[in-house]
C-alpha cells in the first residue's frame, strides 16, 4: 500500500472527518481570502458582518469603504476588501456561476486564479478543490513539514511536491482529497503547539494507543456540511473554522 495513503488513513482514523467545505459556495469562497494571516475567531466575526450582503450583486454594490468596515475583524482589511472585490469582478466576468466556471479544465482554471490579485499557489488550489470540485494536492507548509519529517522529501518547492503527490490522487475521491488537506493542517497545528516524533504514522493500521497525548486537535472538526454551527459569531463555542 502507498505509504502516503497509510499516513492519511491514520490521520483520518485519529482526527475524524473535518468537513472543511459547507453548502454556501460564495461564503466559503470569501473565507479563503479572509482566513489569510488571521484566526478563525476573527474570520467568523467578519463572515457574520457579511451575512446580510451574502449575494454577489449585494456585495458588488458595497463601496470599498463599506466592504472594508465589514471585513475589518479579519485584519488587513483594505487588502482583503480589494481582493474580495477583484474576485467577485472576475466571477461576474466568467459568467457568474460556480457550476459554469467549474466546467473549465483544472489547469486552465488554476492559471486564471493565479493571475488574480492576492491569489498564490495554495489559495488557488484550495479554491480549485473546495469551490470548483477539482482534485488537487495542496503542498502547503504543513504538508511539507509532515512529509519531510516522514522521509518523503526533502521538499522545499511547492510545484515539485504537488507533482510527486499527484499520482496518489488517482486512488482517492474528491471528498477524500479535501479531507487530506484538512487533516494535514490540523495535525500540523499539534506540532506547532507541542512538537513530537510522528514517524509512527507510517505504521499500517495504527492503534489509538500509539498516539501521544500531544496529538490533540487544536480546533474541533466542523460540523456536517450545511449545519454551519461555526458561522454563528454570536456563539463563541460554535466557532470551529480554520
Amino acid at each position: 500500500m502507498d505509504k502516503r495513503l497509510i499516513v492519511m488513513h491514520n490521520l483520518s482514523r485519529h482526527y475524524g472527518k473535518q468537513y472543511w467545505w459547507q453548502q454556501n459556495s460564495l461564503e466559503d469562497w470569501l473565507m479563503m481570502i479572509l482566513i489569510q494571516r488571521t484566526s478563525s475567531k476573527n474570520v467568523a466575526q467578519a463572515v457574520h458582518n457579511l451575512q446580510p450582503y451574502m449575494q454577489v450583486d449585494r456585495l458588488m454594490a458595497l463601496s470599498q469603504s463599506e466592504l472594508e468596515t465589514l471585513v475589518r475583524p479579519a485584519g488587513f482589511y483594505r487588502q482583503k476588501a480589494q481582493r474580495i472585490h477583484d474576485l467577485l469582478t472576475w466571477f461576474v466576468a466568467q459568467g457568474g456561476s460556480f457550476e459554469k466556471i467549474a466546467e473549465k479544465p483544472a489547469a486552465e482554471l488554476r492559471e486564471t486564479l493565479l493571475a488574480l490579485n492576492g491569489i498564490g499557489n495554495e489559495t488557488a488550489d484550495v479554491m480549485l478543490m473546495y469551490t470548483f470540485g477539482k482534485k488537487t494536492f495542496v503542498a502547503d507548509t504543513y504538508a511539507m513539514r509532515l512529509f519531510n519529517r516522514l522521509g518523503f522529501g526533502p521538499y522545499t518547492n511547492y510545484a515539485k511536491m504537488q507533482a510527486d503527490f499527484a499520482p496518489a490522487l488517482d486512488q482517492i475521491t474528491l471528498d477524500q482529497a479535501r479531507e487530506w488537506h484538512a487533516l494535514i493542517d490540523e495535525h500540523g497545528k499539534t506540532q506547532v503547539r507541542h512538537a513530537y516524533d510522528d514517524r509512527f504514522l507510517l505504521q499500517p493500521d495504527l492503534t489509538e494507543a500509539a498516539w501521544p497525548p500531544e496529538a490533540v486537535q487544536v480546533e474541533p472538526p466542523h460540523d456536517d456540511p450545511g449545519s454551519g454551527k461555526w458561522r454563528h459569531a454570536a456563539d463563541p463555542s460554535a466557532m470551529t473554522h480554520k
Side-chain angles (χ1 to χ4, degrees):
M1 184 178 183
D2 189 319
K3 288 186 176 180
R4 293 166 295 191
L5 296 180
I6 291 174
V7 171
M8 299 315 304
H9 176 69
N10 286 330
L11 290 177
S12 181
R13 287 186 63 187
H14 180 67
Y15 295 108
K17 288 187 72 68
Q18 301 300 301
Y19 296 116
W20 272 20
W21 68 101
Q22 300 289 321
Q23 290 183 342
N24 189 320
S25 296
L26 176 60
E27 190 173 315
D28 284 354
W29 199 34
L30 298 186
M31 283 190 333
M32 296 171 196
I33 298 296
L34 295 172
I35 195 61
Q36 296 172 0
R37 296 180 290 176
T38 194
S39 69
S40 59
K41 180 178 180 180
N42 293 339
V43 170
Q45 184 59 59
V47 170
H48 177 73
N49 292 347
L50 288 169
Q51 283 301 328
Y53 311 94
M54 200 57 73
Q55 295 176 12
V56 173
D57 56 347
R58 299 195 70 181
L59 289 166
M60 292 288 287
L62 292 170
S63 68
Q64 184 71 13
S65 61
E66 289 172 329
L67 187 53
E68 288 176 3
T69 298
L70 293 170
V71 304
R72 182 183 286 267
F76 300 95
Y77 59 93
R78 290 193 177 91
Q79 289 181 4
K80 292 181 180 180
Q82 185 62 54
R83 289 173 182 177
I84 287 173
H85 180 271
D86 292 347
L87 199 62
L88 294 174
T89 300
W90 172 83
F91 178 75
V92 171
Q94 296 296 312
S97 164
F98 287 106
E99 293 76 14
K100 184 173 182 179
I101 295 173
E103 293 174 358
K104 297 178 181 290
E108 176 186 336
L109 182 52
R110 188 176 192 272
E111 287 303 311
T112 305
L113 289 170
L114 286 171
L116 297 173
N117 175 39
I119 307 298
N121 286 318
E122 180 181 344
T123 302
D125 287 329
V126 169
M127 289 180 175
L128 278 178
M129 188 156 57
Y130 292 102
T131 303
F132 300 110
K134 309 289 188 182
K135 271 196 297 185
T136 188
F137 182 79
V138 182
D140 64 3
T141 300
Y142 285 128
M144 288 187 184
R145 288 174 179 171
L146 171 61
F147 287 99
N148 283 346
R149 288 194 304 268
L150 299 182
F152 287 82
Y155 288 113
T156 58
N157 179 273
Y158 191 102
K160 169 62 175 171
M161 184 179 193
Q162 187 176 66
D164 284 358
F165 277 68
L169 296 174
D170 294 334
Q171 306 176 61
I172 64 174
T173 66
L174 171 63
D175 283 359
Q176 287 174 320
R178 288 166 163 170
E179 286 294 327
W180 270 29
H181 174 55
L183 289 164
I184 289 169
D185 278 18
E186 293 303 337
H187 178 69
K189 293 172 188 176
T190 73
Q191 288 284 334
V192 171
R193 188 173 56 178
H194 298 294
Y196 56 92
D197 187 346
D198 55 4
R199 286 175 292 181
F200 60 83
L201 287 170
L202 294 168
Q203 301 173 27
D205 301 316
L206 192 67
T207 65
E208 278 299 307
W211 287 82
E214 293 88 353
V216 177
Q217 188 165 331
V218 177
E219 296 179 352
H222 300 178
D223 208 2
D224 206 348
S227 70
K229 280 186 178 180
W230 69 271
R231 301 179 191 280
H232 301 298
D235 178 7
S237 66
M239 296 177 192
T240 63
H241 197 266
K242 178 185 175 186

